[in-house]
Amino acid sequence: MNKHTTIDKSTGEKKCSCFKRCGGCQLDKVYAQQIEWKQAKADRMLSRFCRPQQIITMDDPYNYRNKVQTVYKVNSSKRIVSGVYQSSTHSMVITDDCFLEDIRAQQIVATLKELMADFRILPYNEESDQGLLKHTIIRTSQTTGEVMLVLVTATPIFPAKKNFVKAITEKHPYITTIVQNVNKGRVPLTLGDRDIIMYGKGYITDEMCGCKFRISPHSFYQVNPEQTEKLYSKAVSCAELKKGDRVIDAYCGTGTIGLIAAKSGADVAGVELNAEAVKDAVSNAKLNKLDNIRFYNEDAGEFMTKLAQAGESCDTVFLDPPRAGTTEEFVEALGKLRPEKIVYVSCKIETLERDLKLLAKIGYKAQLIQPVDMFPHTTGIENVVLLKRKMISLTPNRTPDKKGDKKIERKGKTSHR
């Protein structure tokens, strides 16, 4: 075992000797100092739009990642070792005890290395294009206790498969499903198109904000369940949805925010370009027995533009785009549809700042900014922003009359419904 995590006696907090080599963490500070740094950054970058609220913190900012990806190799002593790729490289950093990862996942990885040696399963070597196991993904649920192990292999042939499955499930009976994913490509840390269920049902279920979510090997799902619950609860509550409100969940992924919104009684349309994510979203709607949400495999901007052209209206739009943020085309589509409220969930503060400027140009003003510490020990800051369409004052040319020269002011409507 390559133990790199220690306890700092002066602070009682965890320290990692891989900090400079790995890149998974970017802040080597005690947690209180991390929060001060993030709050100051949010205030500095976003206060021009609306003063940010106090950042929502974690009670225990360690071992929170419910998705753990691990790579393997044979070292100079002919032993199988495991770790992670250094940020933006193919250079492997050997570690067994990352303090961001779920502890059950670390225990499974330790057993996997022993079984690989016993069953003569070699890690895949990218240079020689030899070996079987490319990497593993372990996904865990804190609410249901279910655990999924994904073995990403170079070929579908898995030696002594039944005995291998029996050995690892006997050692870790909390594993509820094992999936072999076949990836014949050369790009690291990616999944192939073919899944072979080796054990269990091929997916796990998690619960959040009163909804159930099915998580497959390919599903996008937030990696910090404790903070995700706080993030999504804030996003939906600040929208103040009423039964029958018309809602669009743009960039909906597997439908998490949209399903939580639908549970409040709103009529929701989830829009997502990734077809696999839409399949998961449809399954999640059925799992939660919600018939007031529909999913569309389309570009969200084009979807909203079509609605506007057809004379349709919308009360609230949720958007949770990738780190690159949204696009000018999407903002233009928002301007055509003119929802009363926009709830922007952002995972990168730099692109959020840029997009809030674009949204201001089409008449939306930030009413609330709530930072959330989704990724302790990193520089990432998640934010929920509530924006409302501004009341527009129109002052036409004035015509004097016998009663005097009076200003005539007409305020724009706040809703198209």
Side-chain angles (χ1 to χ4, degrees):
M1 298 288 282
N2 298 283
K3 293 293 183 182
H4 297 100
T5 300
T6 57
I7 303 296
D8 188 318
K9 293 181 180 179
S10 62
T11 64
E13 297 197 11
K14 294 182 179 181
K15 299 280 288 183
C16 179
S17 62
C18 290
F19 174 73
K20 291 184 178 180
R21 293 186 293 115
C22 170
C25 297
Q26 296 98 45
L27 295 177
D28 189 22
K29 306 173 183 285
V30 298
Y31 191 55
Q33 292 175 340
Q34 294 180 35
I35 294 303
E36 289 178 7
W37 184 90
K38 292 183 180 186
Q39 186 71 52
K41 183 175 181 179
D43 291 344
R44 183 176 69 252
M45 297 187 69
L46 303 178
S47 288
R48 76 185 75 175
F49 307 105
C50 172
R51 184 168 181 80
Q53 302 289 307
Q54 182 63 36
I55 190 169
I56 296 175
T57 61
M58 278 197 79
D59 295 331
D60 181 8
Y62 299 102
N63 304 109
Y64 59 81
R65 289 190 65 92
N66 60 12
K67 178 183 178 182
V68 174
Q69 294 190 95
T70 308
V71 290
Y72 304 82
K73 74 174 185 179
V74 177
N75 68 7
S76 57
S77 301
K78 306 299 182 183
R79 290 181 57 249
I80 297 174
V81 293
S82 63
V84 297
Y85 283 132
Q86 192 175 38
S87 294
S88 303
T89 74
H90 290 186
S91 177
M92 179 176 158
V93 178
I94 299 172
T95 181
D96 292 315
D97 62 340
C98 171
F99 65 43
L100 302 185
E101 298 176 348
D102 185 285
I103 292 174
R104 288 174 297 177
Q106 295 177 9
Q107 294 169 343
I108 293 169
V109 168
T111 300
L112 276 171
K113 288 182 289 186
E114 296 173 2
L115 293 180
M116 288 171 69
D118 293 343
F119 284 80
R120 297 183 180 179
I121 296 172
L122 289 176
Y124 176 76
N125 185 301
E126 189 178 335
E127 294 180 0
S128 65
D129 195 26
Q130 299 294 314
L132 178 65
L133 188 66
K134 291 194 167 185
H135 71 280
T136 58
I137 301 172
I138 300 169
R139 308 189 77 152
T140 59
S141 168
Q142 293 181 357
T143 56
T144 65
E146 296 179 9
V147 176
M148 173 169 56
L149 168 62
V150 182
L151 303 161
V152 184
T153 61
T155 71
I157 299 170
F158 200 102
K161 177 166 61 177
K162 290 183 179 179
N163 289 335
F164 186 91
V165 168
K166 181 181 178 181
I168 197 160
T169 53
E170 283 181 351
K171 187 72 178 287
H172 303 287
Y174 48 77
I175 297 176
T176 53
T177 191
I178 301 174
V179 178
Q180 180 188 3
N181 174 267
V182 183
N183 178 14
K184 297 181 179 181
R186 302 285 288 267
V187 180
L189 296 181
T190 56
L191 291 172
D193 295 329
R194 183 180 177 187
D195 289 330
I196 302 168
I197 298 174
M198 301 170 72
Y199 176 76
K201 54 192 178 182
Y203 62 89
I204 61 172
T205 304
D206 191 44
E207 296 178 6
M208 180 173 56
C209 297
C211 293
K212 295 179 180 180
F213 297 97
R214 171 174 165 167
I215 306 168
S216 69
H218 302 264
S219 298
F220 170 79
Y221 199 72
Q222 292 279 12
V223 299
N224 187 335
E226 177 185 327
Q227 295 301 89
T228 301
E229 178 117 15
K230 299 173 186 176
L231 179 79
Y232 289 168
S233 294
K234 187 65 179 181
V236 174
S237 65
C238 75
E240 297 181 323
L241 300 176
K242 302 182 296 296
K243 187 174 182 179
D245 277 0
R246 299 188 69 185
V247 172
I248 293 175
D249 179 14
Y251 307 95
C252 73
T254 55
T256 42
I257 294 177
L259 288 164
I260 297 165
K263 200 171 181 65
S264 71
D267 293 324
V268 182
V271 191
E272 170 61 49
L273 202 54
N274 185 308
E276 289 299 321
V278 172
K279 289 180 183 178
D280 283 335
V282 171
S283 296
N284 287 331
K286 292 178 181 177
L287 186 64
N288 289 279
K289 299 179 181 178
L290 291 170
D291 58 5
N292 56 329
I293 184 167
R294 297 288 184 273
F295 293 99
Y296 301 87
N297 184 201
E298 297 184 37
D299 175 84
E302 293 176 3
F303 179 83
M304 293 193 300
T305 298
K306 286 191 294 185
L307 287 183
Q309 290 172 345
E312 298 285 348
S313 63
C314 173
D315 298 293
T316 302
V317 171
F318 290 93
L319 63 148
D320 185 4
R323 291 175 61 82
T326 189
T327 64
E328 291 187 16
E329 291 78 12
F330 182 87
V331 173
E332 182 181 346
L334 276 173
K336 293 174 181 175
L337 190 62
R338 302 184 74 208
E340 182 181 342
K341 290 176 282 189
I342 297 170
V343 180
Y344 191 146
V345 180
S346 166
C347 59
K348 188 173 182 181
I349 198 167
E350 289 80 8
T351 52
L352 173 63
E353 180 190 29
R354 178 202 67 201
D355 292 346
L356 289 179
K357 293 177 185 176
L358 295 175
L359 291 167
K361 289 180 180 178
I362 63 168
Y364 286 90
K365 179 174 175 55
Q367 305 292 313
L368 176 142
I369 299 176
Q370 178 61 71
V372 179
D373 188 26
M374 281 285 287
F375 311 108
H377 312 288
T378 77
T379 55
I381 308 171
E382 199 98 3
N383 284 276
V384 174
V385 184
L386 170 66
L387 303 103
K388 290 187 178 180
R389 187 155 51 83
K390 290 183 284 189
M391 300 287 284
I392 303 172
S393 295
L394 300 176
T395 307
N397 293 331
R398 294 176 293 159
T399 304
D401 59 20
K402 293 180 180 180
K403 295 182 180 180
D405 185 8
K406 295 182 179 180
K407 283 186 178 180
I408 302 173
E409 189 176 81
R410 178 164 56 88
K411 289 189 175 180
K413 296 179 181 179
T414 58
S415 175
H416 289 273
R417 298 195 68 195

